[in-house]
Amino acid sequence: MLHLTAPTLHDIPPATRADWLKLVEAVLKGAPYEKRMQTVTYDRITLDALPERRRDAAPIGGRPAGAPWQVITRVDHDDPALANQQILEDLNGGAGGVCLVFASAPSARGFGLPLTYEALTGTLKDVLPELVTIRIEAGRYQGRDVALALARLYEGVATDRLDIRFGLDPIGDFAALGAAPIEWDGLSARLGQTVNTLISRGFSKPMVRADGRLHHEGGASDAQELAAVLATTLAYLRALEAAGLTLEQAAACIEVTLIADTDQFATQAKPRAFRQLWAALLKACGVEGVPVAIHMETAWRSLTRFDPYVNLLRGTIAAFAAGVGGANSLSVLPFTQVLGLPDASARRLARNTQIILIEEANIHRVADPGAGAGAIEERTEQLAATAWELFRALEREGGMVESLTSGAWQRRLNATREQRTKDIATRRLPLTGTSEFPLLGEAVPPVLAPLRRRPHEAPTEGALLSDPVLSYRDAEPFEALRAAALATHPAPTVFLAPLGTPADYTARLGFARAAFEAGGIATVTTEVPADLAAAFRASGARIACLCGSDELYESQGLEVAAALKEAGATALYLAGRPGAQEAAWQAAGVDGYFYTGCDLLAALRAVQSRLGVRRGAEP
């Protein structure tokens, strides 16, 4: 009798990189590998899609093996009693800590707790401090006042058992405001005095924070964010050492906050890279073995006002990446944060995003699951190396404070932001629901109060003055177009003129519809393209866009363009590149072109101008 046995895993030879490359070459069909399989980041890091596995890589220590990160929820309601209700609801719903955002904080977004002792006591009513983490975001050099008020509130409690992260960050305050009341020597001395006071009262958790969020919102790349945070930690180490702490004690007093964004691998690599940078910095200072606590928060820069439900996906990707990257704690911004003060439903979704990842997906069970993976190890190594060189450049400029004062750091951020803005305009960096797949007429989710725009505060006086690091979101340029269109009556409309059969025009008609709707411009078309001039007149639109194949453009396009112009089209556009017929298209009255890679923002602004849309309305 013939016996057949199925092959086991031991019988299958492991696939090598060479094996994968053979498959890739078959798919590329002669196209350059570098063009299709390598990408370059804003840090000018070249990343290979098929890096070698690092079989000898060791996990980078972050959280204890198998321990989940701590779920931190944001509380920024300006009514202390309602803020207290939110805190108790969050803690009962599974959160392990809260972040108290005061109105003076750069992250307050127009809301925030009042800076009074009564507000603080009312907000923390019935909160058992021994059981939760309390994080503070004050801003405007008010961190010392809040810290001393908390010390007063918990006087008589065993403060060594409390996990209060006071968030003292004078350099972050300086970067946000562009002004400081006294010179850095005075600020650093006051920081040291405050830390010594808190230590004398028994507080033992990190009290000083180096925060990467403002730099990220100012346009920073991943390596720039890490370099700014590392340079800030060094400034704080020096300040605390000057105040009488040993370097080991000073290091234990510092924590960092990093951004978790929608690039999964970059976010996963970021805390791993910073831990390597932190170890290298301490080693250069003659210190070893002091771990760093890393808190992460999902990116404000990536949130969108239109089709905000996509923000739920952004938050989930970012939370997953931060969790497997080794963050010690994490805050997920509610998906309506950019619309205003989130309601209970949005806050619950933000909280449960993390709880599901921990309690149902169990992604915390493996310590540093990216260890050894070629893509993660390559990104970590190159990110750390690039950030270290940027950090050294900052030190050559005199450190973080001096670089901010001279404006050198802001110029770096502006250069990166300008490149990113260009990529967003051309949709090389697409924004789902905003520049790609826009949804006109969408339902807007509720908020407790609409967003309050706080104007940028230009520095007025102070011993230290510089340009502030301003906060931006990626979607703002497209959102401004959408807001202007919404404020226009009647609603701006473009007629899409299909040429030929559905097989000829469907692809470009869909492309043109999405492109115009990204600017808030509605589109109408016809299912009977035989008489486009009559269909255009019946549509009530004033502008038309031709949609068809290159072959039909060549054989019918000029004739149809002339007919649409004669039918009253005040402007005419073409879905596609002009090609060799550009002069003929211009003579026929074509005013512009929509194609992959065009500057869509510029094109939409031109269309809106022809439609009489007045820009400047608030999104």
Side-chain angles (χ1 to χ4, degrees), residues 472-490:
Y472 300 90
R473 286 183 301 106
D474 289 341
E476 285 180 347
F478 280 101
E479 289 174 353
L481 294 176
R482 291 276 293 271
L486 283 172
T488 301
H489 301 284

Side-chain angles (χ1 to χ4, degrees), residues 431-453:
L431 307 177
T432 303
T434 299
S435 66
E436 294 279 9
F437 311 110
L439 181 64
L440 299 187
E442 62 187 346
V444 180
V447 292
L448 297 179
L451 187 70
R452 301 170 187 166
R453 290 196 173 271

Side-chain angles (χ1 to χ4, degrees), residues 120-135:
L120 189 63
T121 57
T123 300
L124 293 174
K125 181 183 177 183
D126 298 327
V127 174
L128 301 178
E130 301 92 340
L131 302 181
V132 301
T133 294
I134 299 174
R135 298 180 61 84

Side-chain angles (χ1 to χ4, degrees), residues 106 139-141 167-179 184 209-212 214-215 232 236 400-401 404 468-469:
R140 296 189 68 86
Y141 306 103
L168 302 172
D169 185 17
I171 295 179
D173 295 342
F174 177 52
L177 294 173
W184 170 242
R209 180 177 306 146
D211 199 331
L214 184 65
H215 303 285
T232 302
Y236 291 155
M400 196 70 229
V401 173
L404 285 166
V469 176

Side-chain angles (χ1 to χ4, degrees), residues 243-541:
L245 278 68
T246 67
L247 280 174
E248 289 83 355
Q249 291 171 327
C253 287
I254 299 173
E255 68 166 9
V256 304
T257 295
L258 302 176
I259 283 294
D261 212 336
T262 54
D263 185 329
Q264 178 187 324
F265 286 175
T267 295
Q268 187 174 348
K270 196 184 292 185
R272 301 177 84 249
F274 189 82
R275 286 196 162 91
Q276 292 181 344
L277 292 167
W278 174 256
L281 175 63
L282 292 188
K283 185 175 181 180
C285 297
V287 177
E288 292 188 29
V290 181
V292 60
I294 297 180
H295 175 73
M296 299 189 77
E297 181 177 279
T298 56
W300 167 263
R301 188 174 80 182
S302 297
L303 296 180
T304 60
R305 291 178 58 82
F306 293 101
D307 203 357
Y309 292 100
V310 181
N311 293 333
L312 292 169
L313 301 178
R314 296 184 177 103
T316 301
I317 293 170
F320 172 87
V324 296
N328 298 96
S329 57
L330 174 65
S331 293
V332 173
L333 296 179
F335 80 103
T336 58
Q337 189 76 51
V338 73
L339 297 175
L341 196 59
D343 65 2
S345 176
R347 295 176 59 82
R348 178 174 178 268
L349 286 169
R351 188 174 67 239
N352 284 355
T353 296
Q354 301 190 60
I355 293 173
I356 290 172
L357 288 172
I358 293 171
E359 297 189 3
E360 296 188 22
N362 286 287
I363 69 169
H364 64 287
R365 296 294 183 188
V366 178
D368 193 14
I376 301 300
E377 294 291 356
E378 179 188 46
R379 181 69 71 96
T380 300
E381 290 171 4
Q382 296 205 50
L383 191 54
T386 304
W388 184 260
E389 290 306 312
L390 282 169
F391 161 71
R392 293 180 64 194
L394 281 166
E395 284 303 296
R396 287 192 294 270
E397 293 167 1
M400 196 70 229
V401 173
E402 185 59 37
S403 188
L404 285 166
T405 304
S406 68
W409 182 247
Q410 292 88 324
R411 288 190 289 273
R412 287 191 182 94
L413 298 187
N414 290 340
T416 306
R417 180 170 55 82
E418 287 171 7
Q419 181 59 53
R420 188 177 181 87
T421 300
K422 180 181 178 181
D423 289 343
I424 290 169
T426 59
R427 293 195 289 186
R428 183 175 181 268
L429 184 63
L431 307 177
T432 303
T434 299
S435 66
E436 294 279 9
F437 311 110
L439 181 64
L440 299 187
E442 62 187 346
V444 180
V447 292
L448 297 179
L451 187 70
R452 301 170 187 166
R453 290 196 173 271
R454 184 170 64 184
H456 293 308
E457 301 177 63
T460 53
E461 60 182 11
L464 278 178
L465 291 175
S466 75
D467 294 324
V469 176
L470 302 180
S471 174
Y472 300 90
R473 286 183 301 106
D474 289 341
E476 285 180 347
F478 280 101
E479 289 174 353
L481 294 176
R482 291 276 293 271
L486 283 172
T488 301
H489 301 284
T493 305
V494 168
F495 176 76
L496 302 181
L499 300 184
T501 67
D504 296 315
Y505 64 71
T506 297
R508 278 182 168 154
L509 189 142
F511 173 86
R513 175 181 288 118
F516 284 112
E517 291 182 352
I521 301 169
T523 59
V524 292
T525 188
T526 178
E527 295 182 359
V528 186
D531 190 349
L532 290 176
F536 171 73
R537 282 192 293 267
S539 72

